[in-house]
Amino acid sequence: MDSLLIKGGTPLHGDVTVSGAKNAVLPIMAATLLTGEECVIRRVPKLSDVTFMAEILKSLGAEVKIADGTLTVRAAKLNGVGDYDLIRKMRGSICILGPLLARLHKAKVSLPGGCVIGSRPVDLHLKGIKALGAKVTIDSGYILAKAPKLIGADLFLGGRAGPTVLGTANVMMAATLAEGVTIIESAACEPEVMDVANFLNAMGAKISGIGSPTITITGVKELHGAEHDVIPDRIEAATFAIAAAATDGEVTIHGARTDHMHAVLDKLREAGVKVERKGPSLVVSRGRSLKPVDITTLPYSGFPTDCQAQMMALMMLTNGISIITERVFESRFMHVSEMARLGADIAIEGPSAIVKGGAPLSGAAVMASDLRASAALVIAGMVARGQTLVKRIYHLDRGYENIDDKLRGLGAKIERVQET
Ligand code: UD1
């Protein structure tokens, strides 16, 4: 297993380009199963989750090629049984359920496992496909879904924590080939869901209300091959913006969709960070001094849970108290105990973390617990005095393309080492 060895204290300076969005490309890859024709997806980030999803598509019988950021999939012949172990390991793979059911009228997909950021149920995914007429049973760790014919329906997909991102994508994909009209209320409005819907429309689907909480899908008989450019990763862009501010550097971020980043950019400005648009790029530097801000994570267009840990790293450096409240995933504070090893003063009170910022950070060996927590530890490590070793960075490789190369390009003293 690889670790990242970081020597703290170097401000980030220079230019970085954002890769394609992980959370868009995974369901888009699943959507290619809805047709037997060739689909070409561009701006595909080089991530282990993408490689993993490609393996899942192959295990279902699809031909898959990836070269230079372009993915080609032809799912001419498909079997409806996903490899149990492959699917179980990656949460995002649940979104093959809707496409397989729509195309083959049956699907057998292993239940995705739990996760350190909290329980990750799939009840809303199942509620959605049941509303379209599927019979669903759980047997030996598999979801078995059957529907000789999917029929459009009105359904409400809001859960305890609000809408579901992959659940919306899953049900929307299933509904593209259903008979009649499906209306999803309390649909997720995330840009990644919009990107999936735009790809489906390019394949011949009839989806309206994209980006709103009410999505209407008029079923069609079949979908065809299509080409698509994946949207830039707003979470990666935000991570670089926060890292620029944390290290007191200045970074120009190219290719970011600022219209997908309002909540994060607004909080950064409130915290005193200088965020300027220069043509299509974003220039971020710390500004005069940092101020503590309170943050509550919410579904889009609220502050994204996927930026909570990184923002906590910034607040650790800010004199004063900030309260970070997690409303999307109840246990997403695994990074707090690792941050404490670096010297952070953070207390958990129910769904909130109370960050007493300003304590000096000093390097230590820390353990990455999930993807975004790992990014936050890297940010903290780049600021801490001395050396920080971030262990288990396979989490980072799941969702950040060449993160160590990109950070080195900005001047960070960071190297990949083998764990002993
Ligand atoms: C996606 C993202 C993840 C992000 C999350 C929230 C991908 C691959 N992953 O995950 O990076 O952190 O959105 O923005 O796109 N829930 C239920 N029942 C369900 C499904 C979800 O109760 O059937 C709950 C979850 O436990 C959570 C909330 O709904 O509390 C939101 O989860 P959801 O939007 O589904 O997250 P994912 O789509 O899995």
Side-chain angles (χ1 to χ4, degrees):
M1 258 185 274
D2 288 353
S3 301
L4 282 180
L5 185 63
I6 304 164
K7 279 192 192 135
T10 310
L12 298 183
H13 278 282
D15 296 55
V16 69
T17 301
V18 179
S19 301
K22 169 182 91 76
N23 289 353
V25 77
L26 295 176
I28 285 172
M29 288 173 79
T32 63
L33 299 175
L34 284 161
T35 176
E37 293 183 16
E38 183 174 279
C39 294
V40 179
I41 317 296
R42 289 181 290 263
R43 209 195 279 123
V44 173
K46 210 171 169 189
L47 304 172
S48 60
D49 268 9
V50 168
T51 312
F52 213 64
M53 191 64 161
E55 288 308 312
I56 291 171
L57 300 188
K58 282 184 201 164
S59 80
L60 293 164
E63 288 169 40
V64 184
K65 279 183 239 150
I66 310 186
D68 302 327
T70 298
L71 174 85
T72 311
V73 184
R74 183 193 288 273
K77 283 195 196 122
L78 274 185
N79 61 72
V81 185
D83 182 283
Y84 186 90
D85 284 322
L86 274 177
I87 293 172
R88 192 174 53 86
K89 283 186 200 141
M90 187 176 71
R91 168 86 191 168
S93 58
I94 185 67
C95 53
I96 62 171
L97 179 65
L100 285 180
L101 182 64
R103 176 101 182 269
L104 303 176
H105 311 290
K106 59 177 185 183
K108 184 175 176 186
V109 175
S110 52
L111 273 163
C115 172
V116 291
I117 67 175
S119 75
R120 313 260 319 243
V122 291
D123 56 313
L124 297 170
H125 298 241
L126 303 186
K127 178 183 174 186
I129 58 167
K130 280 183 195 166
L132 299 179
K135 284 217 161 55
V136 180
T137 47
I138 307 289
D139 188 22
S140 311
Y142 278 102
I143 302 166
L144 303 170
K146 265 192 207 162
K149 196 184 210 181
L150 290 175
I151 302 199
D154 287 7
L155 55 111
F156 179 81
L157 267 197
R160 201 172 39 86
T164 162
V165 172
L166 289 176
T168 301
N170 224 343
V171 179
M172 180 170 73
M173 290 190 282
T176 57
L177 294 179
E179 192 180 292
V181 176
T182 297
I183 299 177
I184 305 178
E185 294 289 357
S186 194
C189 303
E190 267 70 2
E192 293 76 15
V193 178
M194 293 169 66
D195 208 31
V196 179
N198 288 331
F199 175 58
L200 291 168
N201 278 349
M203 294 173 81
K206 288 196 176 142
I207 304 174
S208 60
I210 297 172
S212 83
T214 306
I215 296 180
T216 304
I217 307 127
T218 304
V220 295
K221 284 232 152 46
E222 56 181 17
L223 296 180
H224 52 72
E227 299 195 5
H228 184 76
D229 286 357
V230 176
I231 53 167
D233 197 313
R234 64 192 168 105
I235 308 297
E236 187 200 15
T239 303
F240 282 112
I242 295 169
T247 60
D248 201 3
E250 181 174 301
V251 174
T252 303
I253 302 167
H254 300 288
R257 284 278 302 262
T258 49
D259 55 326
H260 294 165
M261 298 172 66
H262 288 303
V264 173
L265 298 183
D266 187 61
K267 273 295 162 194
L268 284 173
R269 288 192 178 108
E270 193 186 326
V273 176
K274 243 171 107 185
V275 180
E276 284 173 317
R277 283 181 68 168
K278 271 209 182 132
S281 304
L282 197 59
V283 184
V284 184
S285 59
R286 181 179 287 191
R288 234 174 274 148
S289 65
L290 290 175
K291 293 184 279 258
V293 289
D294 293 341
I295 294 159
T296 300
T297 67
L298 289 169
Y300 191 79
S301 57
F303 192 92
T305 174
D306 284 353
C307 289
Q308 179 254 106
Q310 301 90 311
M311 201 65 182
M312 186 183 285
L314 185 64
M315 287 302 101
M316 280 157 39
L317 311 168
T318 307
N319 284 321
I321 293 180
S322 55
I323 299 175
I324 300 181
T325 304
E326 177 56 61
R327 292 272 177 230
V328 181
F329 290 111
E330 73 271 23
S331 315
R332 201 170 197 176
F333 283 131
M334 297 294 288
H335 41 285
V336 168
S337 53
E338 297 304 296
M339 292 298 194
R341 291 182 202 277
L342 301 175
D345 184 349
I346 305 169
I348 306 285
E349 290 283 349
S352 299
I354 296 151
V355 184
K356 287 188 197 154
L361 301 184
S362 61
V366 289
M367 189 84 84
S369 56
D370 77 71
L371 170 56
R372 308 303 171 184
S374 316
L377 288 169
V378 170
I379 292 172
M382 290 192 296
V383 179
R385 187 171 36 83
Q387 280 198 357
T388 294
L389 184 69
V390 183
K391 296 180 175 191
R392 297 205 183 160
I393 52 141
Y394 58 85
H395 292 293
L396 267 181
D397 295 331
R398 284 187 37 225
Y400 287 94
E401 184 173 52
N402 300 331
I403 185 150
D404 40 336
D405 288 345
K406 286 189 180 184
L407 288 171
R408 258 192 308 276
L410 295 170
K413 297 207 167 91
I414 186 165
E415 62 177 304
R416 200 171 270 255
V417 293
Q418 283 279 311
E419 261 171 51
T420 46

